[in-house]
Amino acid sequence: MGSSIGVGSQRRTAAPPQQRTAFPPRLAPVAETDESLALWNGVPPYILLIEDDEGDAVLVEELVEESGIDVRLGRARSLADALRLLEAEAPQCVLLDLHLPDAQGLDGLKEVLGVCAEAAVVVLTGLSEERAGLGAVAAGAQDYLVKGRLEADVFMRAIRYAIQRKHTELAAVAVQSGILRAEENARLERGLLPTPLLLDDPAETVQVCARYQPGRAQTLLGGDFYDVVQTPDGATHAVVGDVSGHGPSEAALGVCLRVAWRAFVMAGARDAELLRLLEQILLAERSGAEIFTTLTALSRPAGATSVSVQRAGHPGFLVRSPGEVELRLVPGGPALGIMPGWGPGWPVTEVPVAPGGAVMLFTDGLIEGRIGPGPARLDEEGLLEIARQQADLPAEPFVDSLIQAAQGLAADWGGLADDVAVLHLEWNAPS
Protein backbone atom coordinates (compact mmCIF):
# COMPACT_ATOMS: atom_id res chain seq x y z
CA MET A 1 0.00 0.00 0.00
CA GLY A 2 2.73 2.44 0.92
CA SER A 3 4.87 4.15 -1.72
CA SER A 4 8.61 4.10 -1.11
CA ILE A 5 10.52 6.32 -3.53
CA GLY A 6 13.95 8.02 -3.59
CA VAL A 7 15.37 11.56 -3.55
CA GLY A 8 18.61 12.77 -2.01
CA SER A 9 18.44 13.54 1.68
CA GLN A 10 20.08 16.99 1.39
CA ARG A 11 17.93 19.63 3.18
CA ARG A 12 17.10 22.63 1.02
CA THR A 13 16.70 26.20 2.20
CA ALA A 14 13.04 26.94 2.81
CA ALA A 15 11.39 29.44 0.52
CA PRO A 16 8.85 31.90 1.93
CA PRO A 17 5.72 29.82 2.61
CA GLN A 18 2.72 30.25 0.33
CA GLN A 19 -0.82 29.58 1.43
CA ARG A 20 -1.62 28.12 -1.98
CA THR A 21 0.73 27.70 -4.92
CA ALA A 22 -0.32 27.12 -8.51
CA PHE A 23 2.08 25.10 -10.63
CA PRO A 24 1.75 25.31 -14.44
CA PRO A 25 1.63 22.06 -16.38
CA ARG A 26 4.56 20.64 -18.31
CA LEU A 27 4.30 18.54 -21.45
CA ALA A 28 4.03 14.91 -20.40
CA PRO A 29 5.79 12.20 -22.43
CA VAL A 30 3.74 10.94 -25.35
CA ALA A 31 3.79 7.45 -23.85
CA GLU A 32 1.84 8.62 -20.76
CA THR A 33 -1.39 6.60 -20.69
CA ASP A 34 -2.21 6.80 -16.97
CA GLU A 35 -6.01 6.46 -16.78
CA SER A 36 -6.07 8.24 -13.42
CA LEU A 37 -5.27 11.49 -15.23
CA ALA A 38 -8.90 11.47 -16.34
CA LEU A 39 -9.79 12.38 -12.76
CA TRP A 40 -8.52 15.90 -13.34
CA ASN A 41 -11.21 16.62 -15.99
CA GLY A 42 -9.26 19.68 -17.06
CA VAL A 43 -9.56 21.32 -13.62
CA PRO A 44 -6.40 21.53 -11.48
CA PRO A 45 -7.04 19.56 -8.29
CA TYR A 46 -6.59 21.20 -4.92
CA ILE A 47 -4.11 19.40 -2.65
CA LEU A 48 -3.69 20.51 0.95
CA LEU A 49 -0.33 19.83 2.58
CA ILE A 50 -0.40 19.73 6.39
CA GLU A 51 3.26 19.97 7.39
CA ASP A 52 5.04 22.07 10.02
CA ASP A 53 8.60 21.37 8.82
CA GLU A 54 9.62 24.03 6.27
CA GLY A 55 12.22 21.83 4.60
CA ASP A 56 9.77 18.99 4.02
CA ALA A 57 7.18 21.47 2.73
CA VAL A 58 9.65 22.89 0.19
CA LEU A 59 10.52 19.36 -0.89
CA VAL A 60 6.86 18.60 -1.60
CA GLU A 61 6.44 21.86 -3.53
CA GLU A 62 9.46 21.00 -5.71
CA LEU A 63 8.20 17.47 -6.32
CA VAL A 64 4.87 18.87 -7.51
CA GLU A 65 6.61 21.34 -9.78
CA GLU A 66 8.94 18.71 -11.21
CA SER A 67 6.04 16.35 -11.93
CA GLY A 68 4.62 18.69 -14.57
CA ILE A 69 1.07 18.15 -13.27
CA ASP A 70 -1.11 21.22 -12.92
CA VAL A 71 -2.34 21.40 -9.31
CA ARG A 72 -3.22 23.94 -6.62
CA LEU A 73 -1.14 23.27 -3.55
CA GLY A 74 -2.27 24.66 -0.21
CA ARG A 75 -0.27 24.61 3.00
CA ALA A 76 -1.18 24.40 6.69
CA ARG A 77 1.42 24.34 9.47
CA SER A 78 -0.79 22.87 12.17
CA LEU A 79 -3.94 20.83 12.53
CA ALA A 80 -5.87 23.89 13.70
CA ASP A 81 -4.84 25.81 10.55
CA ALA A 82 -5.76 22.79 8.42
CA LEU A 83 -9.23 22.46 9.89
CA ARG A 84 -9.95 26.10 9.08
CA LEU A 85 -8.84 25.62 5.48
CA LEU A 86 -10.82 22.38 5.14
CA GLU A 87 -14.01 24.13 6.23
CA ALA A 88 -13.43 26.86 3.64
CA GLU A 89 -12.76 24.49 0.70
CA ALA A 90 -12.65 20.71 0.45
CA PRO A 91 -9.51 19.47 -1.35
CA GLN A 92 -9.31 16.41 -3.54
CA CYS A 93 -6.33 15.17 -1.52
CA VAL A 94 -4.74 15.89 1.87
CA LEU A 95 -1.03 15.23 2.48
CA LEU A 96 -0.80 14.77 6.24
CA ASP A 97 2.30 14.68 8.40
CA LEU A 98 1.75 12.46 11.43
CA HIS A 99 3.79 14.74 13.71
CA LEU A 100 2.27 18.20 14.06
CA PRO A 101 2.62 20.73 16.87
CA ASP A 102 -1.00 20.13 17.95
CA ALA A 103 -1.58 16.51 16.85
CA GLN A 104 0.47 13.34 17.03
CA GLY A 105 -0.06 10.00 15.34
CA LEU A 106 -3.56 9.08 14.22
CA ASP A 107 -5.27 11.89 16.13
CA GLY A 108 -4.72 14.33 13.27
CA LEU A 109 -6.00 11.79 10.72
CA LYS A 110 -9.23 11.28 12.67
CA GLU A 111 -9.79 15.05 12.87
CA VAL A 112 -9.22 15.52 9.14
CA LEU A 113 -11.54 12.65 8.18
CA GLY A 114 -14.18 14.01 10.53
CA VAL A 115 -14.19 17.41 8.82
CA CYS A 116 -13.61 16.34 5.21
CA ALA A 117 -14.62 12.72 4.72
CA GLU A 118 -14.77 13.08 0.92
CA ALA A 119 -11.04 13.93 0.52
CA ALA A 120 -8.38 11.31 -0.15
CA VAL A 121 -5.76 11.35 2.62
CA VAL A 122 -2.13 10.37 2.04
CA VAL A 123 -0.03 10.20 5.20
CA LEU A 124 3.61 11.32 5.24
CA THR A 125 5.83 9.21 7.49
CA GLY A 126 9.53 9.04 8.41
CA LEU A 127 11.93 6.34 7.29
CA SER A 128 11.39 4.29 10.44
CA GLU A 129 7.61 4.72 10.62
CA GLU A 130 6.25 2.31 8.03
CA ARG A 131 4.15 0.59 10.68
CA ALA A 132 2.56 3.94 11.49
CA GLY A 133 1.73 4.38 7.81
CA LEU A 134 0.03 0.99 7.68
CA GLY A 135 -1.94 1.92 10.81
CA ALA A 136 -3.05 5.14 9.13
CA VAL A 137 -4.33 3.21 6.09
CA ALA A 138 -6.25 0.88 8.39
CA ALA A 139 -7.75 3.96 10.08
CA GLY A 140 -9.07 5.46 6.82
CA ALA A 141 -6.15 6.96 4.84
CA GLN A 142 -5.85 5.94 1.18
CA ASP A 143 -2.05 5.55 1.22
CA TYR A 144 1.19 6.55 2.93
CA LEU A 145 4.46 7.94 1.56
CA VAL A 146 7.85 7.72 3.22
CA LYS A 147 9.74 11.01 3.44
CA GLY A 148 13.27 10.88 2.07
CA ARG A 149 12.30 8.37 -0.60
CA LEU A 150 10.34 10.58 -2.92
CA GLU A 151 10.53 11.02 -6.69
CA ALA A 152 8.31 13.41 -8.56
CA ASP A 153 6.59 11.06 -11.03
CA VAL A 154 5.77 8.32 -8.54
CA PHE A 155 4.84 10.90 -5.90
CA MET A 156 2.14 12.43 -8.10
CA ARG A 157 0.99 9.03 -9.33
CA ALA A 158 0.47 7.92 -5.75
CA ILE A 159 -1.67 11.01 -5.14
CA ARG A 160 -3.72 10.42 -8.29
CA TYR A 161 -4.34 6.79 -7.37
CA ALA A 162 -5.30 7.80 -3.83
CA ILE A 163 -7.91 10.19 -5.26
CA GLN A 164 -9.14 7.47 -7.63
CA ARG A 165 -9.49 4.99 -4.78
CA LYS A 166 -11.41 7.57 -2.75
CA HIS A 167 -13.75 8.25 -5.67
CA THR A 168 -14.36 4.50 -6.03
CA GLU A 169 -15.01 4.19 -2.30
CA LEU A 170 -17.50 7.09 -2.31
CA ALA A 171 -19.25 5.68 -5.39
CA ALA A 172 -19.60 2.29 -3.71
CA VAL A 173 -21.05 3.94 -0.62
CA ALA A 174 -23.51 5.90 -2.79
CA VAL A 175 -24.63 2.73 -4.59
CA GLN A 176 -25.13 0.89 -1.32
CA SER A 177 -27.00 3.87 0.10
CA GLY A 178 -29.25 3.90 -2.97
CA ILE A 179 -29.99 0.18 -2.54
CA LEU A 180 -30.85 0.65 1.13
CA ARG A 181 -33.02 3.68 0.30
CA ALA A 182 -34.90 1.72 -2.36
CA GLU A 183 -35.47 -1.14 0.08
CA GLU A 184 -36.70 1.30 2.72
CA ASN A 185 -38.97 2.97 0.18
CA ALA A 186 -40.47 -0.42 -0.68
CA ARG A 187 -41.10 -1.25 2.97
CA LEU A 188 -42.67 2.13 3.66
CA GLU A 189 -44.76 1.96 0.50
CA ARG A 190 -46.23 -1.37 1.54
CA GLY A 191 -47.22 0.19 4.84
CA LEU A 192 -48.49 3.55 3.56
CA LEU A 193 -50.28 2.31 0.44
CA PRO A 194 -52.15 -0.86 1.41
CA THR A 195 -54.43 -3.15 -0.50
CA PRO A 196 -58.04 -2.21 0.41
CA LEU A 197 -59.65 -4.74 2.74
CA LEU A 198 -62.94 -5.48 0.95
CA LEU A 199 -65.60 -8.14 1.50
CA ASP A 200 -65.64 -11.13 -0.84
CA ASP A 201 -69.43 -11.09 -1.28
CA PRO A 202 -70.68 -7.59 -0.34
CA ALA A 203 -74.23 -6.30 -0.52
CA GLU A 204 -72.81 -3.68 -2.88
CA THR A 205 -69.39 -3.23 -4.41
CA VAL A 206 -67.05 -0.30 -3.81
CA GLN A 207 -64.67 0.62 -6.61
CA VAL A 208 -61.39 2.03 -5.29
CA CYS A 209 -58.98 4.11 -7.36
CA ALA A 210 -55.90 5.19 -5.38
CA ARG A 211 -52.83 7.14 -6.42
CA TYR A 212 -49.65 8.15 -4.61
CA GLN A 213 -46.87 10.39 -5.92
CA PRO A 214 -43.79 11.47 -3.94
CA GLY A 215 -42.86 15.17 -4.00
CA ARG A 216 -40.06 16.24 -6.32
CA ALA A 217 -37.50 16.73 -3.52
CA GLN A 218 -38.14 13.44 -1.74
CA THR A 219 -35.92 10.37 -1.94
CA LEU A 220 -38.09 8.67 0.63
CA LEU A 221 -41.83 8.40 0.77
CA GLY A 222 -43.40 11.11 2.85
CA GLY A 223 -46.08 10.72 5.51
CA ASP A 224 -49.18 10.74 3.27
CA PHE A 225 -51.33 7.63 3.74
CA TYR A 226 -54.73 6.17 2.88
CA ASP A 227 -56.77 3.05 3.59
CA VAL A 228 -60.15 1.49 2.79
CA VAL A 229 -61.94 -1.20 4.83
CA GLN A 230 -65.32 -2.88 4.47
CA THR A 231 -66.62 -4.21 7.79
CA PRO A 232 -68.81 -7.36 8.05
CA ASP A 233 -71.99 -5.23 8.12
CA GLY A 234 -71.17 -4.09 4.57
CA ALA A 235 -70.21 -0.53 5.56
CA THR A 236 -67.29 1.17 3.82
CA HIS A 237 -64.73 3.10 5.86
CA ALA A 238 -61.94 5.20 4.32
CA VAL A 239 -59.24 7.62 5.44
CA VAL A 240 -56.70 9.90 3.78
CA GLY A 241 -54.06 11.52 6.01
CA ASP A 242 -50.87 13.56 5.91
CA VAL A 243 -48.15 13.61 8.58
CA SER A 244 -46.38 16.99 8.74
CA GLY A 245 -42.77 17.09 7.62
CA HIS A 246 -40.83 14.75 5.35
CA GLY A 247 -38.43 11.87 5.82
CA PRO A 248 -38.28 8.32 7.11
CA SER A 249 -39.53 9.19 10.61
CA GLU A 250 -42.65 10.89 9.24
CA ALA A 251 -43.24 8.06 6.77
CA ALA A 252 -42.93 5.49 9.55
CA LEU A 253 -45.41 7.48 11.64
CA GLY A 254 -47.80 7.52 8.68
CA VAL A 255 -47.54 3.72 8.48
CA CYS A 256 -48.22 3.47 12.23
CA LEU A 257 -51.32 5.67 12.01
CA ARG A 258 -52.66 3.88 8.95
CA VAL A 259 -52.31 0.46 10.60
CA ALA A 260 -53.82 1.78 13.84
CA TRP A 261 -56.78 3.27 11.94
CA ARG A 262 -57.50 -0.09 10.27
CA ALA A 263 -57.26 -1.95 13.58
CA PHE A 264 -59.52 0.53 15.41
CA VAL A 265 -62.15 0.45 12.64
CA MET A 266 -62.24 -3.34 12.61
CA ALA A 267 -62.53 -3.31 16.41
CA GLY A 268 -65.63 -1.10 16.18
CA ALA A 269 -64.27 2.39 16.97
CA ARG A 270 -66.24 5.11 15.21
CA ASP A 271 -66.57 8.89 14.92
CA ALA A 272 -64.98 11.01 17.71
CA GLU A 273 -63.70 7.93 19.54
CA LEU A 274 -61.80 6.81 16.46
CA LEU A 275 -59.98 10.12 16.01
CA ARG A 276 -59.18 10.38 19.73
CA LEU A 277 -57.57 6.95 19.63
CA LEU A 278 -55.54 7.95 16.56
CA GLU A 279 -54.39 11.10 18.32
CA GLN A 280 -53.22 9.04 21.30
CA ILE A 281 -51.11 6.91 18.94
CA LEU A 282 -49.71 10.04 17.30
CA LEU A 283 -48.72 11.59 20.63
CA ALA A 284 -47.01 8.38 21.72
CA GLU A 285 -45.13 7.74 18.48
CA ARG A 286 -44.19 11.15 17.05
CA SER A 287 -40.56 12.29 17.15
CA GLY A 288 -41.29 15.82 18.37
CA ALA A 289 -44.08 17.98 19.74
CA GLU A 290 -44.22 19.94 16.47
CA ILE A 291 -45.39 16.89 14.46
CA PHE A 292 -49.10 16.77 13.62
CA THR A 293 -51.38 14.93 11.22
CA THR A 294 -54.29 16.13 9.10
CA LEU A 295 -56.88 13.67 7.82
CA THR A 296 -60.35 13.14 6.43
CA ALA A 297 -62.24 9.99 7.43
CA LEU A 298 -65.57 8.79 6.07
CA SER A 299 -68.01 5.94 6.57
CA ARG A 300 -70.90 4.75 4.39
CA PRO A 301 -73.36 2.02 5.41
CA ALA A 302 -74.30 -0.41 2.67
CA GLY A 303 -77.01 1.04 0.44
CA ALA A 304 -76.84 4.52 2.01
CA THR A 305 -77.30 7.70 -0.02
CA SER A 306 -74.81 9.71 2.02
CA VAL A 307 -71.39 9.44 3.67
CA SER A 308 -70.47 10.41 7.25
CA VAL A 309 -67.39 12.61 7.19
CA GLN A 310 -64.92 13.86 9.81
CA ARG A 311 -62.21 16.39 9.00
CA ALA A 312 -59.14 17.14 11.15
CA GLY A 313 -57.31 20.13 9.67
CA HIS A 314 -57.48 18.57 6.20
CA PRO A 315 -58.53 20.05 2.84
CA GLY A 316 -62.05 19.53 1.53
CA PHE A 317 -63.02 16.74 -0.86
CA LEU A 318 -64.84 16.30 -4.15
CA VAL A 319 -68.30 14.76 -4.54
CA ARG A 320 -69.18 13.49 -8.00
CA SER A 321 -72.60 12.86 -9.46
CA PRO A 322 -73.30 12.08 -13.13
CA GLY A 323 -71.84 15.00 -15.08
CA GLU A 324 -71.27 17.16 -11.96
CA VAL A 325 -68.51 17.77 -9.42
CA GLU A 326 -68.78 19.69 -6.15
CA LEU A 327 -66.22 20.72 -3.53
CA ARG A 328 -67.34 19.98 0.01
CA LEU A 329 -65.80 21.68 3.07
CA VAL A 330 -67.53 20.14 6.06
CA PRO A 331 -67.10 21.46 9.62
CA GLY A 332 -64.01 20.05 11.28
CA GLY A 333 -61.54 20.34 14.09
CA PRO A 334 -57.78 20.85 14.46
CA ALA A 335 -55.18 18.50 13.06
CA LEU A 336 -54.33 15.61 15.34
CA GLY A 337 -51.58 16.60 17.75
CA ILE A 338 -52.10 20.36 17.47
CA MET A 339 -54.36 20.64 20.54
CA PRO A 340 -54.12 17.30 22.37
CA GLY A 341 -57.33 16.41 24.17
CA TRP A 342 -59.29 19.07 22.31
CA GLY A 343 -62.66 19.21 24.06
CA PRO A 344 -65.31 19.63 21.35
CA GLY A 345 -64.02 16.71 19.30
CA TRP A 346 -64.40 16.41 15.53
CA PRO A 347 -67.99 16.72 14.31
CA VAL A 348 -69.55 14.13 12.00
CA THR A 349 -71.28 15.56 8.94
CA GLU A 350 -73.64 13.71 6.60
CA VAL A 351 -72.87 14.48 2.95
CA PRO A 352 -75.32 13.25 0.26
CA VAL A 353 -73.89 11.14 -2.55
CA ALA A 354 -76.25 10.48 -5.45
CA PRO A 355 -76.74 6.95 -6.82
CA GLY A 356 -73.91 6.30 -9.24
CA GLY A 357 -71.90 9.08 -7.59
CA ALA A 358 -68.45 9.04 -6.02
CA VAL A 359 -66.18 10.91 -3.63
CA MET A 360 -62.52 11.83 -4.05
CA LEU A 361 -60.29 12.52 -1.03
CA PHE A 362 -56.81 14.00 -1.47
CA THR A 363 -53.87 15.43 0.45
CA ASP A 364 -52.76 19.04 0.16
CA GLY A 365 -49.82 18.21 -2.13
CA LEU A 366 -52.31 18.16 -5.01
CA ILE A 367 -53.52 21.74 -4.44
CA GLU A 368 -50.53 23.55 -2.95
CA GLY A 369 -48.25 23.40 -6.00
CA ARG A 370 -47.02 26.79 -7.14
CA ILE A 371 -48.67 27.73 -10.45
CA GLY A 372 -47.65 31.37 -10.88
CA PRO A 373 -45.42 34.17 -9.61
CA GLY A 374 -45.32 34.87 -5.89
CA PRO A 375 -47.66 32.84 -3.70
CA ALA A 376 -50.03 31.73 -6.48
CA ARG A 377 -51.28 28.19 -5.73
CA LEU A 378 -53.82 25.89 -7.37
CA ASP A 379 -55.88 25.60 -4.15
CA GLU A 380 -59.23 23.80 -3.85
CA GLU A 381 -61.13 26.12 -6.17
CA GLY A 382 -58.58 25.65 -8.92
CA LEU A 383 -58.79 21.89 -8.54
CA LEU A 384 -62.59 22.09 -8.70
CA GLU A 385 -62.42 24.00 -11.97
CA ILE A 386 -60.19 21.32 -13.50
CA ALA A 387 -62.41 18.54 -12.11
CA ARG A 388 -65.54 20.06 -13.67
CA GLN A 389 -63.85 20.03 -17.07
CA GLN A 390 -63.26 16.27 -16.65
CA ALA A 391 -66.56 15.45 -14.93
CA ASP A 392 -67.68 12.82 -17.44
CA LEU A 393 -64.52 10.70 -17.19
CA PRO A 394 -64.48 7.32 -15.43
CA ALA A 395 -62.62 7.07 -12.12
CA GLU A 396 -59.06 6.28 -13.22
CA PRO A 397 -58.77 8.78 -16.10
CA PHE A 398 -60.55 11.37 -13.93
CA VAL A 399 -58.00 11.01 -11.10
CA ASP A 400 -55.03 10.83 -13.45
CA SER A 401 -56.14 13.90 -15.40
CA LEU A 402 -56.38 15.96 -12.20
CA ILE A 403 -52.88 14.95 -11.07
CA GLN A 404 -51.42 15.58 -14.53
CA ALA A 405 -53.11 18.98 -14.77
CA ALA A 406 -51.75 20.01 -11.35
CA GLN A 407 -48.28 18.83 -12.39
CA GLY A 408 -48.47 20.74 -15.66
CA LEU A 409 -49.50 23.98 -13.98
CA ALA A 410 -46.59 23.69 -11.53
CA ALA A 411 -44.03 22.60 -14.12
CA ASP A 412 -42.46 26.04 -14.61
CA TRP A 413 -41.83 26.25 -10.86
CA GLY A 414 -40.28 22.84 -10.39
CA GLY A 415 -43.37 20.64 -10.25
CA LEU A 416 -45.38 19.51 -7.24
CA ALA A 417 -43.12 19.87 -4.22
CA ASP A 418 -45.15 17.85 -1.73
CA ASP A 419 -46.39 14.27 -1.72
CA VAL A 420 -49.78 13.60 -3.29
CA ALA A 421 -52.24 10.93 -2.16
CA VAL A 422 -55.65 10.56 -3.85
CA LEU A 423 -58.46 8.13 -3.01
CA HIS A 424 -61.53 7.87 -5.29
CA LEU A 425 -64.49 5.76 -4.13
CA GLU A 426 -67.71 4.86 -5.94
CA TRP A 427 -70.43 2.37 -4.99
CA ASN A 428 -72.45 0.12 -7.26
CA ALA A 429 -75.21 -2.38 -6.45
CA PRO A 430 -74.32 -5.90 -7.66
CA SER A 431 -75.91 -6.86 -10.95
Side-chain angles (χ1 to χ4, degrees):
M1 178 67 72
S3 299
S4 185
I5 28 197
V7 157
S9 60
Q10 180 179 359
R11 183 68 70 192
R12 299 184 172 105
T13 302
Q18 299 290 326
Q19 190 69 9
R20 187 170 301 165
T21 307
F23 294 99
R26 289 167 143 185
L27 291 176
V30 174
E32 176 65 77
T33 59
D34 191 345
E35 292 181 359
S36 68
L37 286 172
L39 293 171
W40 285 183
N41 291 325
V43 178
Y46 170 32
I47 300 173
L48 178 63
L49 171 64
I50 309 175
E51 173 65 77
D52 64 315
D53 186 281
E54 295 297 335
D56 288 341
V58 169
L59 177 61
V60 169
E61 290 179 359
E62 291 180 350
L63 288 169
V64 171
E65 185 174 10
E66 291 170 9
S67 72
I69 304 298
D70 187 15
V71 302
R72 292 183 298 140
L73 182 65
R75 166 83 186 283
R77 293 167 179 77
S78 67
L79 179 62
D81 289 342
L83 295 179
R84 284 193 292 271
L85 291 175
L86 289 171
E87 290 178 355
E89 180 181 2
Q92 281 72 46
C93 183
V94 174
L95 301 176
L96 174 65
D97 181 26
L98 288 181
H99 300 289
L100 298 170
D102 52 353
Q104 294 293 313
L106 298 181
D107 291 341
L109 174 62
K110 293 176 182 177
E111 292 279 352
V112 168
L113 291 175
V115 172
C116 193
E118 67 273 18
V121 179
V122 177
V123 165
L124 303 177
T125 69
L127 293 172
S128 61
E129 295 182 312
E130 187 161 355
R131 181 171 295 180
L134 292 172
V137 171
Q142 271 60 57
D143 205 345
Y144 69 92
L145 297 172
V146 180
K147 296 179 186 179
R149 294 182 180 175
L150 301 176
E151 292 180 357
D153 56 344
V154 186
F155 171 72
M156 287 304 300
R157 180 166 296 186
I159 292 174
R160 295 201 302 272
Y161 285 174
I163 296 174
Q164 188 173 45
R165 283 193 292 274
K166 188 64 178 182
H167 284 184
T168 301
E169 174 188 316
L170 293 175
V173 169
V175 169
Q176 182 62 22
S177 177
I179 292 172
L180 293 175
R181 186 178 297 114
E183 291 174 350
E184 186 168 8
N185 275 348
R187 289 193 296 271
L188 292 171
E189 183 175 358
R190 286 194 295 270
L192 288 168
L193 317 177
T195 300
L197 185 60
L198 305 179
L199 297 178
D200 293 331
D201 187 20
E204 65 177 356
T205 60
V206 55
Q207 303 297 322
V208 179
C209 173
R211 295 289 186 268
Y212 178 86
Q213 175 179 293
R216 66 168 186 265
Q218 302 308 310
T219 55
L220 287 171
L221 294 173
D224 290 18
F225 61 92
Y226 63 78
D227 203 354
V228 181
V229 169
Q230 272 188 312
T231 46
D233 60 2
T236 302
H237 308 271
V239 66
V240 167
D242 182 2
V243 177
S244 62
H246 297 94
S249 295
E250 289 73 14
L253 181 56
V255 173
C256 180
L257 292 173
R258 199 279 304 165
V259 172
W261 177 87
R262 177 175 283 199
F264 291 147
V265 166
M266 296 184 70
R270 299 290 184 268
D271 302 336
E273 179 192 13
L274 175 59
L275 266 59
R276 289 196 188 284
L277 289 171
L278 284 177
E279 185 172 60
Q280 290 178 23
I281 297 295
L282 171 69
L283 297 177
E285 299 294 335
R286 65 184 178 181
S287 58
E290 75 283 358
I291 302 298
F292 61 89
T293 297
T294 70
L295 63 81
T296 295
L298 66 78
S299 296
R300 181 184 184 275
T305 57
S306 65
V307 292
S308 302
V309 182
Q310 287 176 286
R311 191 165 65 96
H314 206 72
F317 60 100
L318 300 181
V319 177
R320 302 184 66 192
S321 57
E324 298 290 338
V325 182
E326 295 181 33
L327 173 68
R328 296 304 300 262
L329 290 168
V330 300
L336 305 186
I338 290 288
M339 301 174 65
W342 187 60
W346 295 267
V348 179
T349 303
E350 294 294 322
V351 177
V353 178
V359 298
M360 191 188 94
L361 312 179
F362 52 88
T363 55
D364 60 9
L366 183 62
I367 60 173
E368 291 190 347
R370 184 179 175 188
I371 62 171
R377 299 288 186 270
L378 179 61
D379 291 330
E380 291 156 311
E381 293 297 332
L383 180 67
L384 177 60
E385 182 179 346
I386 297 171
R388 284 175 169 166
Q389 296 171 5
Q390 313 295 333
D392 293 327
L393 292 177
E396 292 200 4
F398 176 79
V399 171
D400 291 337
S401 67
L402 264 60
I403 295 174
Q404 291 168 7
Q407 284 178 318
L409 291 170
D412 290 342
W413 287 269
L416 298 176
D418 202 359
D419 305 328
V420 173
V422 177
L423 187 62
H424 185 283
L425 306 169
E426 57 184 321
W427 293 267
N428 300 289
S431 55

